[in-house]
Amino acid sequence: MQDNNFKVNQHTLKTAISRVEKDKIITRGYNQKDLIEKIRYSDMVYLMLKGRLPSIKEGKIFNHVLVSFCDHGVTPPSTQTARLVASSGSPINSAVAGALLSFGHKHAGAIEQTMKLYQSSIDSLYLTDDSQIDNKQIASLAIDIHNEYLLEGKKVPGFGHRYHDVDPRADKLMNLVIKEGFVGPHIKLALAVEDLVYQKKGIRLNVDGANAAILSDLGFDPELGFGIFMIGRIPGIIAHIHEEKMDEDEFRKFCDLDDVEYQGRY
Amino acid sequence: MQDNNFKVNQHTLKTAISRVEKDKIITRGYNQKDLIEKIRYSDMVYLMLKGRLPSIKEGKIFNHVLVSFCDHGVTPPSTQTARLVASSGSPINSAVAGALLSFGHKHAGAIEQTMKLYQSSIDSLYLTDDSQIDNKQIASLAIDIHNEYLLEGKKVPGFGHRYHDVDPRADKLMNLVIKEGFVGPHIKLALAVEDLVYQKKGIRLNVDGANAAILSDLGFDPELGFGIFMIGRIPGIIAHIHEEKMDEDEFRKFCDLDDVEYQGRY
Amino acid sequence: MQDNNFKVNQHTLKTAISRVEKDKIITRGYNQKDLIEKIRYSDMVYLMLKGRLPSIKEGKIFNHVLVSFCDHGVTPPSTQTARLVASSGSPINSAVAGALLSFGHKHAGAIEQTMKLYQSSIDSLYLTDDSQIDNKQIASLAIDIHNEYLLEGKKVPGFGHRYHDVDPRADKLMNLVIKEGFVGPHIKLALAVEDLVYQKKGIRLNVDGANAAILSDLGFDPELGFGIFMIGRIPGIIAHIHEEKMDEDEFRKFCDLDDVEYQGRY
Amino acid sequence: MQDNNFKVNQHTLKTAISRVEKDKIITRGYNQKDLIEKIRYSDMVYLMLKGRLPSIKEGKIFNHVLVSFCDHGVTPPSTQTARLVASSGSPINSAVAGALLSFGHKHAGAIEQTMKLYQSSIDSLYLTDDSQIDNKQIASLAIDIHNEYLLEGKKVPGFGHRYHDVDPRADKLMNLVIKEGFVGPHIKLALAVEDLVYQKKGIRLNVDGANAAILSDLGFDPELGFGIFMIGRIPGIIAHIHEEKMDEDEFRKFCDLDDVEYQGRY
């Protein structure tokens, strides 16, 4: 301690996540021993993030969401970064960290941005319990959103995919929420916007757009939407890193000398 | 391209994880549409990492493992790093990446190191189908391992915990594998070593030691053991980051001026 | 390659930084052999970032800027993260990466934000070659900026420091640019704003505010201002990591069980 | 605080780097105000890492070393990772962090490994002040090292370069240390090993091998060698990130669908 101005360090941290006692861990109000024995891992993820266990239906839908993020081959920048870092001989945690850093606003930001759009739009309504009235409000809101983006010449977030006309994940997710009777206002809004965008541009919801609507109806905050995307994608990234470390013995590269055009001074 | 030495760039990458076609994604041999509808997220993680779906029993055990890694409050360095990075206003993916970088060999390396020990030990045996003979071999192996570490005065990896005498997670996991009839040679070895270490030092298996044995009996490579730990822990880390961003509005710090003793020159 | 739709991969990357030939490397138009022999490292940094060597005066000023970022003890979140990651046994590059991730908008964003403010403000003027006219314009601009922040009740970026009334680095830097005759419009603006803020609030320019003005007068883009801060700070961070790895043998922590207040359910 | 077992938090951190007082910062025994005015940035880096200022000759040599690490175009995995992360829209600090994570043992580990080899070898000698005797000892040591690697069929660390027969940086550095009279035992050893490797295999010292010898003669610890490499390279990496963000508006990729061969099940 310097001089005489001794102060007791005040680092008290308030948390509602876990309480660690000797030989006992309480997490979100449950003894971890019981959680380990009794609950599904997807429900555990829900519990960690929301602070309560899901209902059976919520748990089922949330499980679909997590699975749907699993992998899109080596096409995403994040997966390519993971393999590039792994190929340099760095440890697996560094390669996963590298992948996460590639989730920039152009890549993984879409889900958070789309959740913000859906949630701020729905929050602006005064929803009743009469689904006919609400559906009309939502249909009118969809037209507003569509027109706004159309006028500004901007892409509606959550729509279109570089490799797919119909993103098979979004298609399946939307079928499942309808079949399983889990269609809240955010999903209704996403479907209403899709009708308009598809009529006008032939473009459909992608996996981020579909999950943004579902996670909003599940009551998740947009930032956690991004977190849930990471949780769902990391097992795939780890599979790629492991494959890279097992199969390849040289530096991965995206370009070599012959691909480079020097435009500076000589 | 420079000069005339044009070469076609050979980046062909071989992968057995996913095949992306227009409007269709095949992952580990399954159509993702079917996976999204039908499988549990914990089985999806297993499928990504092992390349095949688990049996019912494997799936159940693997689910216990994933849940058991969920959270240990704010005590681990990785969780503290996550909160420290988040408190500076960095985005959530950066805070998760920071946490992963804190999984150094002193912190999260234990599970990989323990899996290597168990697997290299068991691989040195010639296991028969006669459990009596095998159990004797394993008991003798446990004595060798115990003596080796005792002689070198080193800590046996996978044992002891700073906060617990009986790590409740290890205790529950070992009860479950016995109850559910999933006790392979690596688990037998861990239990045999525990008997010796407990007699001599009063120290028990921790969560890393228990999971190292279970994941080895499930056939996972040690590096993937570290990967599975990360998968299991990241939802907890994201919960901490979100709590930090919601609740706290100042820099988190582990020391301030008064905690610092300057020992350099003046 | 899949199917028959073979395409030559087009990764051509245009760069003006370096051209690598067999046994020869040209960087920003210079042979690296000559650079290694002849130039100061601070001028090399300038050359890398601006694409040309500095004048003697620019080089001198830029050297002051780089030195001024060197270290602020263990108080910044980034330095604390570096030591926290290092204490877990992670490699030195991971610890530096962790520090960089703690440069969130609350911590290191200040310099970029301040450069944007100064540059957009000065860009809005029509500067003449008559310093009397220009000084009047700048004085009037300073009043506008000051009033705007005052009205909104917001902190003017680049001012005030948690530990200092007079940030010794800002003070010295401003004295040096005056003494060495390097006072362009952005520095004039910063000094004019300081007069107003100091009169009203007793608060002075900090190291970020001073350097934001100087780097703007040197013609650097705001994003590069953040880059230059990182370049200047990293040697200090590496010194801290090395000290941590040499001197300390346990986990660094910012809180332990007794500092935690669990507010969740039981 | 939990229960009654209140403990004062003991975070006292001992450091010899900086002492922060109100309005005054002492770093390595110097007032930062004086450092900002008077010393070259390369000497500041030396001071941070070694705890003392260099002699004139040491400062000159250390400046050569820092400049020599500046850039090798887009060929290194770390630079490619930086551009890949930047192209996803992540902030500049994340892109630099990504680059650092690509400094795996295959890429940037060479300098640390080579420093360890040189330092442990020289430490095994009993050096006198008689240069004739010492040179003989070192020549004999070089033969031992060369034979050992030759027998094991392994590459001597610090030798050979994928793009260069004569690495121009190593060549220039070795000429400079001879010309400037800075040839200590580690440099002598590196040159003696080079004679043998070149005779046998036609391979020469690379930039890592040359700098490993020079930094060892300057008295740096191997881990700091890796740190100095990072310090020297980061300005180049930041130049690449900035170029990427300015010039390119799409995702950088190292492979697209047509480059991928799926070898899994259908």
Side-chain angles (χ1 to χ4, degrees):
Chain A
M1 303 291 160
Q2 292 171 3
D3 312 319
N4 293 323
N5 56 343
F6 177 93
K7 280 188 287 182
V8 172
N9 202 350
Q10 290 292 0
H11 291 293
T12 306
L13 186 148
K14 294 176 183 61
T15 181
I17 298 173
S18 289
R19 175 180 164 90
V20 176
E21 301 171 40
K22 188 159 135 0
D23 299 348
K24 185 174 177 187
I25 312 166
I26 305 293
T27 291
R28 297 297 197 187
Y30 298 91
N31 191 323
Q32 276 200 14
K33 283 191 159 188
D34 297 330
L35 296 173
I36 292 170
E37 179 162 7
K38 291 178 187 155
I39 75 170
R40 303 197 308 169
Y41 177 56
S42 54
D43 292 345
M44 185 73 210
V45 176
Y46 191 100
L47 174 64
M48 292 305 303
L49 301 183
K50 292 271 285 185
R52 66 165 176 83
L53 284 169
S55 70
I56 290 176
K57 191 181 280 186
E58 288 168 336
K60 198 168 177 185
I61 298 293
F62 189 62
N63 188 77
H64 296 327
V65 170
L66 285 172
V67 173
S68 75
F69 284 130
C70 63
D71 191 52
H72 199 268
V74 293
T75 65
S78 48
T79 308
Q80 300 206 1
T81 301
R83 295 189 81 125
L84 194 55
V85 174
S87 83
S88 76
S90 287
I92 185 171
N93 56 329
S94 294
V96 179
L100 298 182
L101 299 179
S102 286
F103 288 143
H105 63 84
K106 285 195 218 162
H107 174 11
I111 192 162
E112 195 171 347
Q113 191 191 348
T114 311
M115 286 174 81
K116 281 180 186 160
L117 172 66
Y118 292 163
Q119 293 184 21
S120 65
S121 302
I122 292 296
D123 286 355
S124 72
L125 298 182
Y126 183 77
L127 291 178
T128 66
D129 276 345
D130 182 329
S131 75
Q132 233 179 330
I133 296 175
D134 289 354
N135 290 349
K136 271 190 198 155
Q137 290 193 68
I138 290 171
S140 152
L141 190 62
I143 293 168
D144 292 349
I145 292 173
H146 179 252
N147 288 346
E148 194 188 317
Y149 280 86
L150 205 70
L151 276 176
E152 296 176 5
K154 290 198 302 184
K155 228 182 122 299
V156 192
F159 280 84
H161 197 284
R162 289 194 302 154
Y163 296 106
H164 307 296
D165 288 343
V166 181
D167 185 329
R169 299 161 296 180
D171 185 49
K172 170 57 82 174
L173 286 164
M174 284 295 144
N175 286 337
L176 285 171
V177 291
I178 291 166
K179 188 170 122 189
E180 295 171 9
F182 186 82
V183 180
H186 302 91
I187 294 175
K188 282 181 189 167
L189 177 62
L191 291 170
V193 175
E194 188 179 34
D195 278 350
L196 298 167
V197 173
Y198 186 65
Q199 267 175 37
K200 200 83 182 180
K201 302 257 190 182
I203 296 172
R204 291 184 175 283
L205 276 171
N206 59 30
V207 69
D208 292 319
N211 279 320
I214 297 170
L215 291 170
S216 294
D217 275 345
L218 282 168
F220 283 100
D221 182 284
E223 191 190 56
L224 284 180
F226 185 8
I228 292 162
F229 166 73
M230 286 192 275
I231 292 168
R233 179 56 57 87
I234 283 173
I237 286 170
I238 288 174
H240 281 279
I241 292 167
H242 191 61
E243 189 176 66
E244 184 76 27
K245 284 178 174 269
M246 294 297 110
D247 296 356
E248 312 280 345
D249 59 352
E250 286 190 34
F251 286 151
R252 178 73 57 199
K253 282 173 294 184
F254 66 76
C255 69
D256 209 332
L257 280 191
D258 292 334
D259 309 310
V260 180
E261 191 182 324
Y262 178 63
Q263 300 191 313
R265 285 176 299 144
Y266 282 85
Chain B
M1 305 291 160
Q2 290 171 0
D3 311 321
N4 293 323
N5 56 343
F6 177 92
K7 280 189 286 181
V8 172
N9 202 349
Q10 290 292 359
H11 291 293
T12 305
L13 185 149
K14 293 177 183 61
T15 182
I17 299 171
S18 289
R19 175 180 164 89
V20 176
E21 301 171 38
K22 191 162 134 356
D23 299 348
K24 187 175 177 185
I25 312 166
I26 304 294
T27 291
R28 297 297 198 187
Y30 298 91
N31 190 323
Q32 277 199 14
K33 283 189 158 189
D34 297 330
L35 296 171
I36 291 170
E37 180 162 5
K38 292 176 186 156
I39 76 171
R40 303 196 311 168
Y41 178 56
S42 54
D43 292 345
M44 186 72 210
V45 176
Y46 191 101
L47 174 64
M48 290 306 302
L49 300 183
K50 293 270 285 187
R52 66 165 176 82
L53 283 169
S55 70
I56 290 175
K57 190 181 284 186
E58 288 168 335
K60 198 168 177 185
I61 299 292
F62 189 61
N63 188 78
H64 297 325
V65 170
L66 286 172
V67 173
S68 75
F69 283 130
C70 63
D71 192 51
H72 199 269
V74 294
T75 64
S78 48
T79 307
Q80 300 207 1
T81 302
R83 295 189 81 125
L84 194 56
V85 175
S87 82
S88 75
S90 286
I92 186 173
N93 57 327
S94 294
V96 180
L100 298 182
L101 298 179
S102 285
F103 289 143
H105 63 85
K106 285 196 219 159
H107 175 11
I111 191 162
E112 194 171 348
Q113 191 190 349
T114 312
M115 285 174 81
K116 280 180 187 160
L117 172 66
Y118 292 162
Q119 292 183 22
S120 65
S121 302
I122 292 296
D123 287 354
S124 72
L125 299 182
Y126 182 78
L127 292 177
T128 64
D129 277 344
D130 182 328
S131 75
Q132 231 178 333
I133 296 175
D134 289 353
N135 290 348
K136 273 190 197 154
Q137 289 194 69
I138 290 171
S140 153
L141 191 60
I143 293 167
D144 292 348
I145 291 173
H146 180 251
N147 289 344
E148 193 188 318
Y149 280 86
L150 205 68
L151 276 177
E152 297 175 5
K154 290 197 302 184
K155 228 183 122 299
V156 191
F159 281 84
H161 197 282
R162 290 193 300 154
Y163 297 103
H164 307 296
D165 288 343
V166 181
D167 185 329
R169 299 160 297 179
D171 185 49
K172 171 56 85 175
L173 286 164
M174 284 295 145
N175 286 338
L176 285 172
V177 291
I178 291 166
K179 187 169 122 190
E180 295 171 8
F182 186 82
V183 180
H186 303 90
I187 293 175
K188 283 181 188 167
L189 177 61
L191 292 169
V193 175
E194 188 179 35
D195 278 350
L196 298 166
V197 173
Y198 186 66
Q199 268 175 35
K200 201 82 184 180
K201 303 257 191 181
I203 297 172
R204 292 186 174 283
L205 276 171
N206 60 29
V207 68
D208 292 320
N211 279 320
I214 297 170
L215 290 170
S216 293
D217 275 345
L218 282 168
F220 283 99
D221 182 284
E223 191 190 55
L224 283 179
F226 186 8
I228 292 162
F229 167 72
M230 287 193 274
I231 292 167
R233 180 54 58 88
I234 283 173
I237 286 170
I238 288 174
H240 282 279
I241 292 167
H242 191 61
E243 189 177 65
E244 183 77 28
K245 285 178 172 269
M246 294 298 109
D247 296 357
E248 312 280 345
D249 60 351
E250 286 191 34
F251 286 151
R252 178 74 57 199
K253 283 174 292 185
F254 66 76
C255 69
D256 210 331
L257 280 190
D258 291 334
D259 309 310
V260 180
E261 190 182 324
Y262 178 63
Q263 300 191 313
R265 285 175 299 143
Y266 282 84
Chain C
M1 305 289 160
Q2 291 170 3
D3 312 321
N4 293 323
N5 57 342
F6 177 92
K7 281 188 286 182
V8 172
N9 203 350
Q10 290 293 358
H11 290 294
T12 305
L13 185 147
K14 292 177 184 60
T15 182
I17 299 171
S18 290
R19 174 179 165 90
V20 176
E21 301 171 39
K22 190 160 137 352
D23 299 348
K24 187 174 176 186
I25 312 166
I26 304 293
T27 291
R28 296 297 197 187
Y30 297 92
N31 191 323
Q32 277 199 13
K33 284 190 160 189
D34 297 330
L35 296 172
I36 292 171
E37 180 162 5
K38 292 176 187 157
I39 76 171
R40 302 197 309 168
Y41 178 55
S42 54
D43 292 345
M44 186 72 211
V45 176
Y46 191 101
L47 174 64
M48 290 306 302
L49 300 183
K50 292 271 284 187
R52 66 165 176 83
L53 284 168
S55 70
I56 290 175
K57 190 181 282 186
E58 288 168 336
K60 198 168 177 187
I61 298 293
F62 189 61
N63 188 78
H64 297 325
V65 170
L66 286 171
V67 173
S68 75
F69 284 130
C70 63
D71 192 52
H72 200 268
V74 294
T75 63
S78 48
T79 307
Q80 300 207 2
T81 302
R83 295 189 81 125
L84 194 55
V85 174
S87 83
S88 76
S90 287
I92 186 173
N93 57 329
S94 295
V96 180
L100 298 181
L101 299 179
S102 286
F103 288 143
H105 63 84
K106 285 195 219 161
H107 174 10
I111 191 163
E112 193 171 348
Q113 193 190 346
T114 312
M115 285 175 81
K116 280 181 186 158
L117 171 65
Y118 292 162
Q119 292 184 21
S120 65
S121 303
I122 292 295
D123 287 354
S124 72
L125 299 182
Y126 183 77
L127 292 177
T128 64
D129 276 343
D130 181 330
S131 75
Q132 232 178 332
I133 297 175
D134 289 353
N135 290 348
K136 274 190 197 153
Q137 290 194 67
I138 290 171
S140 151
L141 191 61
I143 294 168
D144 292 349
I145 291 173
H146 180 251
N147 288 345
E148 193 188 318
Y149 280 87
L150 205 71
L151 276 176
E152 296 175 5
K154 289 197 303 185
K155 225 182 124 301
V156 192
F159 281 85
H161 197 282
R162 289 194 300 155
Y163 297 104
H164 307 296
D165 288 342
V166 180
D167 185 329
R169 301 160 296 179
D171 185 47
K172 172 54 87 175
L173 286 163
M174 284 295 143
N175 286 337
L176 285 171
V177 292
I178 291 165
K179 187 170 122 189
E180 295 171 8
F182 186 82
V183 180
H186 303 90
I187 294 175
K188 283 181 189 167
L189 178 62
L191 292 169
V193 175
E194 189 180 34
D195 278 350
L196 299 166
V197 173
Y198 186 66
Q199 268 176 36
K200 201 83 183 181
K201 304 255 190 185
I203 296 172
R204 291 185 173 284
L205 276 171
N206 60 29
V207 68
D208 292 320
N211 279 320
I214 297 170
L215 290 170
S216 294
D217 275 345
L218 281 168
F220 284 100
D221 182 286
E223 191 190 54
L224 284 180
F226 186 8
I228 292 161
F229 167 72
M230 287 192 274
I231 292 167
R233 179 56 57 88
I234 283 173
I237 286 170
I238 289 174
H240 282 279
I241 292 167
H242 191 62
E243 188 177 66
E244 184 76 27
K245 284 178 173 268
M246 295 298 109
D247 296 357
E248 311 280 345
D249 60 352
E250 286 191 34
F251 286 150
R252 178 75 56 199
K253 282 174 294 184
F254 66 76
C255 68
D256 209 332
L257 280 190
D258 291 334
D259 309 309
V260 180
E261 190 184 324
Y262 178 64
Q263 300 192 312
R265 286 176 298 144
Y266 282 85
Chain D
M1 304 289 160
Q2 291 171 6
D3 312 321
N4 293 323
N5 55 341
F6 177 93
K7 280 187 285 181
V8 172
N9 203 350
Q10 291 293 358
H11 291 295
T12 305
L13 185 149
K14 293 177 183 59
T15 181
I17 299 172
S18 290
R19 175 179 164 90
V20 175
E21 301 170 39
K22 189 158 135 359
D23 299 348
K24 186 173 176 187
I25 312 166
I26 304 293
T27 291
R28 298 296 197 187
Y30 297 91
N31 191 322
Q32 277 199 14
K33 282 189 161 191
D34 297 329
L35 296 172
I36 292 171
E37 180 162 5
K38 292 177 187 156
I39 76 172
R40 303 197 310 169
Y41 177 56
S42 54
D43 292 345
M44 185 73 211
V45 176
Y46 191 101
L47 175 64
M48 292 305 302
L49 300 183
K50 292 270 287 186
R52 65 163 176 85
L53 284 169
S55 70
I56 290 175
K57 190 181 280 186
E58 287 169 337
K60 197 168 178 186
I61 298 292
F62 189 60
N63 188 77
H64 297 326
V65 170
L66 286 171
V67 173
S68 75
F69 283 130
C70 63
D71 192 53
H72 200 267
V74 293
T75 64
S78 49
T79 308
Q80 300 207 0
T81 301
R83 296 189 80 125
L84 195 55
V85 174
S87 83
S88 75
S90 287
I92 186 172
N93 56 329
S94 295
V96 179
L100 298 182
L101 299 179
S102 286
F103 288 143
H105 63 84
K106 284 194 218 162
H107 174 10
I111 191 162
E112 194 171 348
Q113 191 190 348
T114 311
M115 285 174 81
K116 281 181 186 159
L117 171 65
Y118 292 162
Q119 292 184 21
S120 66
S121 303
I122 291 295
D123 285 355
S124 72
L125 298 183
Y126 183 76
L127 291 178
T128 65
D129 277 344
D130 181 329
S131 75
Q132 229 177 334
I133 296 175
D134 289 353
N135 291 348
K136 270 190 200 154
Q137 290 194 69
I138 290 171
S140 152
L141 191 61
I143 293 168
D144 292 349
I145 291 173
H146 180 251
N147 288 346
E148 194 188 318
Y149 280 87
L150 205 70
L151 275 176
E152 296 175 5
K154 289 198 302 186
K155 227 182 122 300
V156 192
F159 280 84
H161 197 283
R162 289 193 301 154
Y163 297 105
H164 307 296
D165 288 343
V166 181
D167 185 328
R169 300 161 295 180
D171 184 48
K172 170 56 84 175
L173 286 163
M174 284 295 144
N175 285 337
L176 285 171
V177 291
I178 291 166
K179 188 169 120 189
E180 296 171 8
F182 187 81
V183 180
H186 303 90
I187 294 175
K188 282 182 190 166
L189 178 62
L191 292 170
V193 174
E194 188 179 35
D195 278 351
L196 298 165
V197 174
Y198 187 65
Q199 267 176 37
K200 201 82 182 181
K201 302 256 190 184
I203 297 172
R204 290 185 175 283
L205 276 171
N206 60 30
V207 69
D208 292 320
N211 279 320
I214 297 170
L215 290 169
S216 294
D217 274 346
L218 282 168
F220 284 100
D221 182 284
E223 192 191 53
L224 284 180
F226 186 8
I228 292 162
F229 167 72
M230 286 192 275
I231 292 167
R233 180 55 57 88
I234 283 173
I237 286 170
I238 289 174
H240 281 278
I241 292 167
H242 191 62
E243 189 178 68
E244 184 76 27
K245 285 179 173 267
M246 295 297 110
D247 296 357
E248 311 280 344
D249 59 353
E250 287 191 32
F251 287 151
R252 177 75 54 199
K253 283 174 293 182
F254 65 75
C255 68
D256 208 333
L257 281 191
D258 292 334
D259 309 309
V260 180
E261 190 182 325
Y262 179 63
Q263 299 192 313
R265 285 175 301 143
Y266 282 86

